[in-house]
Amino acid sequence: MFRPVSWTALLAAGLLFGACSSSTSSGTSAGTDSSSGFDIPISDAKLDAGSDAAAGDGSGGKDSASDAGDTPGGQDSTDSKVDDVAADAVDAGDVSPDLAEVDIAGLDAADAEDAADVVDAADADVPDINWDALDDMAGYDAAVDTAEVDVPPSDVADGTDDADVPPPAPVFAPLGTDLKVNQNTDGTVNPFVSPARNGQFYVSWVQKPGNLMLSWVNPNATVALAPLQVNTVAGEVYYWGGQSVISDTDGNFYAVWEGKSNVMFAQSTTGKNFLPAQNIVSTSENGLYPSIATDKPNHVRVAWSGLASGQYDPFTSANDAATSGGKWSTAVQVVKTKGQDDSVAVAIAPDGTIWVVWESFDGDLFAASSTDGGATFGAAVQVNDVAGKASVGIGTFAVVAPDGTLWVAWSDRRTDSEGDLYVDHAAPGKGFGVDEMMADSTSRYQEDPSLVVGKTGKCYGVVYAVWQDFRSNKNYDIYGTRSLGAGKGWAKNEVVHPSTAGDQMNPALAVDPACKVGVAWRDSATNPDFDVRTTFYSW
């Protein structure tokens, strides 16, 4: 395959190729014409390499004899050819004049010839521009492709690569500083964060005496907007209960929270004024640990742990006209178990599959799915490999990736009583695999994980995680990591907040279409009753 280039491009390419010519592992024999390189046929405006193949040439790139009348560095008087070196003879096999010493500076041997090249017949040699070598030099290929067609330097596996090496690990980069979002001083719990369509994020939390609060935050701002109260009846939010505020692709907002033994729902078309709340569970079900998901405008699904036959099991219900006062579907009991079930998460796959994941009182995680719109659910499957050792907190511990893969994270006590961070996943049509650790330390407590998956751009399919971690043996910090690709593990753990004082706990996590990651958490650095703070980063 040929790539036409200008003389300037040829010389620049030759310079780069010459710099790599001493390596024997980055391509075929340097300069040899092959399917893995690219010759540039330019009408004998050639760079001689080594010794000419033509008759009369000697080793080292000089002719064995001199022509009478040679002019050093110029043309022969007898044949109007351009000499390669002073007092050199005309190459008998030349097909047209050689360049007047336009060799690659600093890379020539003896007579300004390219030492790395191999001579073709009739002195018509052209140094190959070996794109494999260029790719290797950029750090992407470990070896030469047998039929390279990729554009350097962003080489990817194309089925013919000998051995691709992944790009450098993504870099954790904070975006600005952290912000306090609450204005009260008497206590906050259970933060949640989610992205909006306009490049901002919104953070929600519960504060005393029992109100669900919401504030808008711009990643580039130095001050968060004043919070607003979501619930219209003051004090109706259970202080330690679960809550979430999300939005759909049309910009409608949906809030769910744990009330007085029930699950409450409120919606807004602006995110600033919420309608009076609805109770979406009956008194016979009660409701704990609500979780909410949306897969299209005006459609939401909520799951919770509800009381049935004297014990708590996972339930779910949906509303197909949430912004116009639509009714909630009859609650479906996802599974009937013999033991108590606690924290619940709901997620909807792109193909409409509904996943409900929950923690049992016995220390196991289970998942069940529905492919008929939530009318029925299949048998529950256990997520964790080692029974009786798993626990989750109030974070979003289960999410679905754009390809339909379900990801679940938890704290696991299989190797120590304090708990390490584990994750597992189930691709569409397949079961869960082998549990793997996300944390790069097993020191002390790792708890309350929260997950999110990128859905656009460079973070498409990337799984992000945060959790509270006591590895410092002094206080809790919020650590984060991200996936590096299928079978490639997890990135080095990073502390996501700048403060080194107090405890940072109960993190929530979100990523926007521009791949900015937002984190919110409870923070006691300046308030022993905890503030809610947020920060942003790219990764």
Side-chain angles (χ1 to χ4, degrees), residues 342-528:
D342 295 321
S343 296
V344 178
V346 62
I348 306 174
D351 65 356
T353 299
I354 302 166
W355 283 99
V356 177
V357 186
W358 65 94
E359 175 192 354
S360 74
F361 188 75
D362 296 327
D364 293 311
L365 295 175
F366 293 92
S369 64
S370 171
T371 57
D372 58 9
T376 61
F377 282 79
V381 295
Q382 185 168 321
V383 177
N384 52 307
D385 295 339
V386 180
K389 303 295 184 181
S391 64
V392 295
I394 60 172
T396 305
F397 60 89
V399 295
V400 174
D403 66 354
T405 298
L406 174 69
W407 290 85
V408 183
W410 67 94
S411 180
D412 196 293
R413 302 181 304 279
R414 68 183 64 185
T415 58
D416 64 69
S417 61
E418 295 177 336
D420 301 314
L421 195 68
Y422 276 77
V423 66
D424 204 343
H425 66 279
K430 299 181 180 179
F432 287 93
V434 177
D435 304 343
E436 58 178 319
M437 290 187 63
M438 281 195 291
D440 55 19
S441 170
T442 58
S443 175
R444 304 309 306 269
Y445 300 95
Q446 297 167 359
E447 304 166 318
D448 206 2
S450 186
L451 297 176
V452 72
V453 184
K455 297 181 180 180
T456 56
K458 66 180 181 180
C459 59
Y460 181 89
V462 174
V463 183
Y464 297 92
V466 290
W467 65 94
Q468 65 186 42
D469 195 303
F470 199 67
R471 69 180 68 180
S472 69
N473 290 309
K474 296 179 181 179
N475 51 264
Y476 277 102
D477 296 302
I478 305 301
Y479 273 80
T481 187
R482 56 153 285 172
S483 60
L484 297 176
K488 298 178 181 178
W490 300 85
K492 175 182 177 293
N493 299 171
E494 300 281 357
V495 177
V496 303
H497 55 83
S499 175
T500 58
D503 287 311
Q504 289 75 39
M505 306 179 73
N506 309 126
L509 183 64
V511 61
D512 74 357
C515 296
K516 293 191 294 289
V517 183
V519 184
W521 66 93
R522 296 174 68 219
D523 195 303
S524 69
T526 59
N527 181 1

Side-chain angles (χ1 to χ4, degrees), residues 165-184:
V165 174
V171 177
F172 172 80
L175 304 175
T177 185
D178 64 326
L179 301 175
K180 175 185 173 182
V181 297
N182 63 297
Q183 294 183 348
N184 69 311

